[in-house]
C-alpha cells in the first residue's frame, strides 16, 4: 500500500493560503467525503514525493508504465492528464512527476529523483451532486483557492489544471438519453428533432455506440476519450463530419449548467440565450460548470472513406509535393463534403454525402474524386483504399480506433490556424500556402509531420441549416471557421526531460510558426482554442475574432467575481501572465515574447 503524506504536507506543496485543516474538513463533509488530495499520476513509481520519502507501489507502477501512452487510463483518473503539460509545471523542469516516455513500458525514474506536484491541483472533488459544485464555489469565494474543472484531461492548453487549486472532477456525470424529437425546455412548440443528451463526463466513443444503437449518427471528435459535452463542444468541437453537418457548437441545442453564482440554469435558444451563445465556442472552464449538453444527431447513414498512404520512409520533398497535391484538390473536395485528416504522408478522409457514400455502386464517385491522390501514392509505392461502409460506427471501429487509443503521456503542443478558402482558389494562394510550409520547415517543422484536421463547416449552411426556427446555429466561435477549408497544425513534442532552455527553444520556434501562420491568413484566418499554441501572443483575436468583446461581457455578467479563471480563457488578463497563480506558464511566456522581440 502507498502511504500518503499527511494533510499538512499538501498545504506546504499546494500553496493554498488561509484555509485551515478544519475548513477543508468542513468542505469534505459538505461533499459527502468526496474531497481528496490530488497526487501526480506517476507517483506510485516514485519513492520521493515533494522531497519526502514515500513507498513506491510496484503493482500500480507496472500498470502505469505499461499503459503510459494509453488514453483511457488517464481519461478515467481524477489526476490523469492526456498531455504532460496538464500535470507538469512547464516553466520549471524540476517540478514534475513524469516517466521517460521514449519507449514502452516507460522506464522507472532514476533513484533520488522526486515526484513533484507540478500543476496538479492540491485537492479534487468527485462531483456527483449539484451541491458539490455549490460547496466548491463557496469555498473558492471564502478562501480564494483557485477552482478548476477537470473532465477527460485532453486539453492542450493547460486549462484543466492549476497549481494550488481545487479541482472539480466531473467525469462521473455519465448519463445518456436519446430523444426522438427533442423539445428545448421553455421553447413552446419548437422542436430540435432527433437528439442525444450526454452528461458532461461521457466520452465520444460511448456516444457513438449509443447513437448507433438508436440508428443515429453523432457528429463528434476523433478521439474516443474526448468529453463531447465538456471542453470539446464549449470550444467549438470539430468532427470529420463537420464539413457537411457543422461543428459541435452548431449542433448543440441545450446546456444544463451551474453558473458561478451557484444557480442551476438551462441555456438554450429561449432561456439565457446570451449564455447559450457563449457556451457555443467561448471555451470550457469559463462560464460555469456544465452538467450535460443535448446534441442533435442525424439518422444512421453509410459513409465513404479514403485511406491513402505514402511509404513511411518518404522524403520531406515528397511530402511537400503531396501537400501541394492536397491543396490543389481541396476546394473541389471541400465542396463535395470530404472531411478527415491530412498528414504529411497520408490522408484519411470521410464523406457522408449520399452521392459519394453510395453502397450500390461501391463508392464510384468517391473513388473518382480521390483518383489523383491515389495515383500519386501508388506511384510512390504507397497504398490506397477507398470504400463505403454502412455506418459511421463501422468507419469509427475500422479506421479511427486503431490509431486513436494511445496518444497520451507526451508534451504535445499544437499550433493551428484556420486557412480561408481564398488561399485554395488559385495558384497564387496555393503558392503562398506552400511558402508557409517551407518557412515552417526552416524553423524545424518537417513537412512529413504536417497535420491538418479537415473539419470546418464548409458545406454546412451556418445559420440556416438548423431545424430550430430562431438563430440557434449562431455560435461564438471565431467567424473564420465558416469560411475556412483547412485547420493547419504545426506541432511539436517537447521531450519529457527537456531542460528549461530546451523548452524555451521549442516554444519560441512554435510561436514563430504561429506568427507566420497568422501573417499568411491575416484576420480572415483564426485559431481553434482547443488546439492552439498556449503561448500565442495575440490570443483574444486569434481564438474569437470580433466575438471577444461580447464574450467578455457575458463572462462578467455570469461570473462577476471571476471565480473561474484559466490560461487565455475569456476574462484572463495580461496581468495574470506574471501572477503567481500562472507561474508554470508565465515565465515561459515572458521569455518567449522577449525572444521574439529580440529576434533570437
Ligand atoms: C488526442 C486528442 C484528439 C483530439 N481530437 C479532437 C477532435 O477531433 N476535434 C476537436 O474539436 N477537438 C479535438 N481535441 C481537442 C479537444 O477538443 C480539447 O482537448 C478539449 O479541451 C477537451 O475537452 P475535455 O472536456 O474532454 O478535456 P479537459 O481537459 O478535461 O477539459 C478541457 C477544458 O474544458 C473545461 N471543461 C471540461 N468539462 C467542463 C464542464 N463540464 N464545464 C465547464 N468546463 C469544462 C476544462 O476546465 C478545460 O478548460 C483532441 C485532443 C486530443 C488530446
Ligand atoms: C474526506 O472524507 C473521506 C471520508 O471520510 C476520507 O476518506 C477522505 O480522506 C477525506 N478527504 C480528505 C482530503 O481528508
Ligand atoms: C495495461 O497494460 C497491461 C499490459 O501491457 C494490459 O494487459 C492492461 O490491459 C493495460 N491496462 C489498461 C487499463 O489499459
Ligand atoms: C529513456 O528511455 C530510453 C529508451 O528506453 C533510453 O534510451 C534513455 O536513456 C532513457 N533516458 C533517461 C534520461 O533515462
Ligand atoms: C453556499 O453558500 C450559500 C450562501 O452562503 C448557502 O446558502 C449555501 O447553502 C452554500 N452551499 C453549500 C453547498 O455549501
Ligand atoms: C498543383 O497545381 C499546379 C497548378 O495547376 C501544378 O503546377 C502542380 O504541378 C500541381 N501539384 C501537384 C503536386 O499536383
Ligand atoms: C448510387 O448508385 C446507383 C448505381 O449506380 C445509382 O442508381 C444511384 O442513383 C446512386 N445513388 C446516389 C444517391 O447517387
Ligand atoms: C534527456 O534524456 C536524454 C536520453 O534519453 C539525454 O540524452 C538528455 O541529455 C536528457 N536531457 C536532459 C536535459 O537531462
Ligand atoms: C525541440 O527541442 C528538442 C530538444 O529538446 C530538439 O531536438 C528539437 O529539434 C526541437 N524542435 C523544434 C521544432 O524546435
Amino acid at each position: 500500500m502507498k502511504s500518503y503524506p499527511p494533510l499538512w504536507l499538501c498545504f506546504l506543496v499546494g500553496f493554498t493560503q488561509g484555509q485551515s485543516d478544519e475548513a477543508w474538513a468542513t468542505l469534505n463533509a459538505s461533499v459527502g467525503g468526496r474531497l481528496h488530495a490530488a497526487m501526480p499520476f506517476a507517483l506510485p513509481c516514485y519513492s520521493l514525493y515533494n522531497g519526502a520519502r514515500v513507498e513506491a507501489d510496484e503493482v500500480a507502477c507496472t500498470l502505469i508504465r505499461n499503459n503510459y501512452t494509453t488514453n483511457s487510463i488517464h481519461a478515467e483518473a481524477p489526476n490523469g492528464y492526456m498531455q504532460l503539460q496538464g500535470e507538469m509545471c512547464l516553466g520549471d523542469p524540476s517540478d514534475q512527476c513524469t516517466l521517460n516516455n521514449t519507449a514502452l513500458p516507460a522506464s522507472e525514474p532514476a533513484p533520488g529523483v522526486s515526484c513533484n506536484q507540478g500543476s496538479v491541483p492540491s485537492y479534487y472533488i468527485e462531483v456527483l451532486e449539484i451541491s458539490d459544485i455549490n460547496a466548491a464555489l463557496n469555498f473558492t469565494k471564502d478562501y480564494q483557492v483557485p477552482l478548476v474543472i477537470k473532465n477527460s484531461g485532453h486539453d492542450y492548453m493547460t486549462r484543466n489544471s492549476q497549481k494550488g487549486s481545487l479541482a472539480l472532477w466531473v467525469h462521473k456525470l455519465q448519463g445518456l438519453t436519446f430523444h426522438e424529437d427533442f423539445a428545448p425546455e421553455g421553447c413552446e412548440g419548437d422542436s430540435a428533432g432527433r437528439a442525444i443528451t450526454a452528461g458532461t463526463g461521457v466520452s465520444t466513443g460511448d456516444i457513438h455506440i449509443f447513437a448507433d444503437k438508436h440508428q443515429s449518427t453523432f457528429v463528434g471528435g476523433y478521439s474516443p476519450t474526448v468529453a463531447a459535452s465538456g471542453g470539446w463542444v464549449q470550444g467549438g468541437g470539430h468532427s470529420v463530419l463537420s464539413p457537411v453537418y457543422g461543428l459541435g457548437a452548431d449542433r448543440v441545442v441545450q446546456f444544463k449548467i451551474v453558473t458561478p453564482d451557484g444557480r442551476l440554469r438551462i441555456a438554450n435558444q429561449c432561456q439565457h440565450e446570451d449564455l447559450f451563445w457563449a457556451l457555443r465556442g467561448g471555451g470550457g472552464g469559463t462560464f460555469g460548470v456544465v452538467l450535460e449538453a443535448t446534441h442533435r444527431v442525424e439518422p444512421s447513414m453509410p459513409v465513404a472513406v479514403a485511406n491513402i498512404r505514402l511509404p513511411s520512409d518518404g522524403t520531406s520533398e515528397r511530402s511537400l509535393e503531396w501537400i501541394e497535391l492536397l491543396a490543389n484538390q481541396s476546394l473541389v473536395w471541400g465542396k463535395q463534403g470530404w472531411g478527415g485528416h491530412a498528414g504529411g504522408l497520408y490522408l484519411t478522409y470521410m464523406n457522408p454525402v449520399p452521392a459519394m457514400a453510395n453502397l450500390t455502386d461501391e463508392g464510384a464517385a468517391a473513388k473518382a474524386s480521390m483518383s489523383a491522390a491515389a495515383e500519386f501514392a501508388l506511384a510512390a509505392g504507397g497504398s490506397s483504399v477507398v470504400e463505403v461502409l454502412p455506418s459511421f460506427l463501422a468507419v469509427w471501429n475500422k479506421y479511427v480506433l486503431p490509431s486513436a487509443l494511445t496518444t497520451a503521456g507526451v508534451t504535445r503542443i499544437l499550433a493551428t490556424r484556420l486557412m480561408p478558402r481564398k488561399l485554395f482558389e488559385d495558384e497564387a494562394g496555393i503558392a503562398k500556402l506552400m511558402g508557409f510550409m517551407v518557412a515552417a520547415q526552416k524553423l524545424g517543422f518537417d513537412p512529413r509531420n504536417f497535420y491538418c484536421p479537415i473539419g470546418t463547416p464548409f458545406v454546412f449552411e451556418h445559420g440556416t441549416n438548423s431545424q430550430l426556427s430562431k438563430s440557434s446555429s449562431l455560435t461564438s466561435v471565431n467567424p473564420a471557421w465558416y469560411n475556412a477549408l483547412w485547420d493547419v497544425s504545426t506541432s511539436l513534442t517537447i521531450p519529457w526531460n527537456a531542460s528549461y532552455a530546451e523548452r524555451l527553444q521549442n516554444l519560441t520556434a512554435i510561436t514563430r510558426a504561429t506568427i507566420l501562420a497568422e501573417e499568411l491568413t491575416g484576420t480572415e484566418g483564426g485559431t481553434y482554442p482547443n488546439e492552439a499554441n498556449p503561448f500565442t501572443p495575440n490570443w483574444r483575436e486569434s481564438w474569437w475574432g470580433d466575438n471577444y468583446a461580447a464574450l467578455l461581457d457575458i463572462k462578467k455578467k455570469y461570473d462577476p467575481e471571476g471565480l473561474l479563471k484559466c490560461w487565455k480563457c475569456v476574462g484572463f488578463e495580461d496581468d495574470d501572465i506574471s501572477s503567481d497563480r500562472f507561474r508554470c506558464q508565465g515565465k515561459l511566456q515572458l521569455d518567449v515574447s522577449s525572444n521574439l522581440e529580440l529576434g533570437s
Side-chain angles (χ1 to χ4, degrees):
M1 255 321 277
K2 164 138 245 94
S3 53
Y4 288 118
L7 209 54
W8 61 264
L9 185 59
C10 305
F11 289 120
L12 289 183
V13 303
F15 299 93
T16 44
Q17 305 123 9
Q19 339 78 32
S20 57
D21 281 13
E22 210 185 325
W24 286 104
T26 305
L27 175 63
N28 197 8
S30 67
V31 298
R34 291 188 300 279
L35 175 77
H36 300 283
M39 317 274 181
F41 188 73
L43 176 58
C45 294
Y46 282 81
S47 39
L48 280 174
Y49 176 37
N50 295 319
R53 285 215 70 80
V54 287
E55 225 173 286
D57 177 339
E58 238 177 85
V59 174
C61 174
T62 302
L63 186 118
I64 290 168
R65 289 176 55 210
N66 285 336
N67 301 286
Y68 200 56
T69 60
T70 302
N71 296 4
S72 55
I73 69 161
H74 297 264
E76 297 289 318
N79 57 347
Y81 298 89
M82 215 62 52
Q83 312 297 322
L84 294 179
Q85 65 265 37
E87 57 167 285
M88 59 180 26
C89 185
L90 200 49
D92 179 358
S94 69
D95 193 5
Q96 64 184 38
C97 183
T98 53
L99 298 182
N100 180 348
N101 58 13
T102 53
L104 277 182
S107 43
E108 302 247 25
V113 175
S114 174
C115 163
N116 294 333
Q117 192 77 5
S119 60
V120 175
S122 302
Y123 292 93
Y124 72 91
I125 295 170
E126 178 185 335
V127 174
L128 296 181
E129 316 276 347
I130 290 172
S131 58
D132 297 343
I133 298 168
N134 279 310
L137 288 165
N138 283 355
F139 191 81
T140 296
K141 244 188 291 190
D142 291 346
Y143 300 103
Q144 286 78 52
V145 177
L147 188 64
V148 296
I149 304 163
K150 153 72 167 71
N151 199 330
S152 79
H154 268 262
D155 204 47
Y156 287 107
M157 278 275 298
T158 74
R159 299 173 299 187
N160 52 16
S161 67
Q162 268 173 50
K163 200 175 193 49
S165 66
L166 167 63
L168 288 168
W169 181 45
V170 295
H171 175 71
K172 291 286 174 79
L173 301 174
Q174 285 284 328
L176 272 172
T177 314
F178 178 76
H179 314 270
E180 202 54 70
D181 198 2
F182 181 75
E185 276 180 47
C187 305
E188 264 115 67
D190 264 332
S191 160
R194 194 187 282 224
I196 287 176
T197 300
T200 193
V202 180
S203 70
T204 299
D206 285 352
I207 303 180
H208 283 309
I209 293 166
F210 183 77
D212 190 74
K213 278 199 190 118
H214 293 275
Q215 291 77 49
S216 299
T217 308
F218 173 63
V219 178
Y222 215 61
S223 172
T225 42
V226 160
S229 297
W232 179 79
V233 67
Q234 292 174 67
H238 66 73
S239 163
V240 298
L241 302 177
S242 292
V244 176
Y245 291 112
L247 297 172
D250 287 309
R251 303 184 57 82
V252 65
V253 288
Q254 181 166 294
F255 287 96
K256 276 200 180 130
I257 179 173
V258 176
T259 42
D261 58 5
R263 289 175 57 186
L264 171 65
R265 297 178 193 267
I266 308 278
N268 62 29
Q269 61 154 351
C270 323
Q271 300 184 53
H272 306 300
E273 297 94 317
D274 54 354
L275 184 59
F276 184 46
W277 178 78
L279 290 169
R280 303 171 80 187
T286 304
F287 302 99
V289 185
V290 167
L291 304 174
E292 61 174 49
T294 302
H295 311 266
R296 286 195 291 133
V297 294
E298 298 297 323
S300 193
M301 63 182 89
V303 175
V305 187
N307 183 29
I308 302 179
R309 283 167 192 276
L310 304 184
S312 54
D313 60 358
T315 61
S316 313
E317 290 70 31
R318 170 62 53 76
S319 185
L320 283 172
E321 264 182 80
W322 168 249
I323 296 166
E324 186 180 79
L325 180 143
L326 301 182
N328 280 356
Q329 300 289 321
S330 69
L331 196 55
V332 170
W333 284 343
K335 289 176 183 164
Q336 289 172 336
W338 290 101
H341 293 89
L345 295 169
Y346 70 91
L347 68 79
T348 309
Y349 280 12
M350 286 137 196
N351 196 325
V353 171
M356 294 282 158
N358 190 335
L359 283 164
T360 314
D361 69 7
E362 296 177 338
K367 285 174 183 150
S369 165
M370 285 292 150
S371 62
E375 277 161 27
F376 185 96
L378 294 174
S383 63
S384 169
V385 177
V386 181
E387 64 173 338
V388 181
L389 296 182
S391 67
F392 185 72
L393 189 65
V395 171
W396 178 258
N397 288 333
K398 182 166 177 182
Y399 286 101
V400 183
L401 287 188
S403 60
L405 298 173
T406 54
T407 59
V410 290
T411 312
R412 190 158 143 79
I413 308 285
L414 296 188
T416 61
R417 190 74 183 166
L418 291 158
M419 297 287 158
R421 69 177 284 157
K422 193 178 85 181
L423 280 173
F424 303 89
E425 280 172 345
D426 55 31
E427 282 181 42
I430 290 172
K432 272 178 79 181
L433 186 67
M434 295 314 296
F436 165 76
M437 298 296 160
V438 171
Q441 184 178 16
K442 289 192 182 123
L443 291 173
F445 300 93
D446 192 307
R448 286 173 290 192
N449 297 329
F450 167 78
Y451 168 66
C452 181
I454 313 288
T456 62
F458 192 68
V459 179
F460 175 76
E461 285 180 48
H462 177 54
T464 59
N465 205 30
S466 168
Q467 294 180 35
L468 290 170
S469 52
K470 297 180 199 160
S471 58
S472 62
S473 67
L474 297 177
T475 67
S476 53
V477 300
N478 191 320
W481 274 100
Y482 298 100
N483 188 38
L485 250 182
W486 282 13
D487 188 20
V488 169
S489 160
T490 319
S491 62
L492 55 74
T493 300
I494 301 178
W496 68 283
N497 66 335
S499 65
Y500 185 81
E502 288 168 330
R503 291 176 191 198
L504 179 60
Q505 183 277 323
N506 275 182
L507 293 168
T508 302
I510 202 164
T511 305
R512 277 190 212 290
T514 303
I515 290 168
L516 277 182
E518 286 176 4
E519 285 167 1
L520 172 66
T521 68
T523 52
E524 281 176 75
T527 295
Y528 179 31
N530 278 348
E531 296 181 329
N533 167 7
F535 298 92
T536 303
N538 188 21
W539 59 276
R540 294 178 186 85
E541 185 188 312
S542 284
W543 300 180
W544 292 293
D546 291 343
N547 288 334
Y548 187 76
L551 284 167
L552 185 59
D553 287 344
I554 297 167
K555 168 74 175 171
K556 286 181 176 157
K557 174 175 167 188
Y558 288 96
D559 187 14
E561 295 172 77
L563 298 183
L564 289 172
K565 183 175 277 214
C566 45
W567 181 255
K568 297 188 180 175
C569 296
V570 171
F572 182 86
E573 310 274 359
D574 290 341
D575 285 352
D576 292 321
I577 291 174
S578 46
S579 71
D580 191 50
R581 177 167 178 176
F582 291 104
R583 70 183 178 285
C584 290
Q585 302 96 330
K587 179 173 162 47
L588 273 167
Q589 178 74 72
L590 295 173
D591 287 344
V592 165
S593 300
S594 80
N595 276 353
L596 292 173
E597 272 155 28
L598 292 171
S600 64

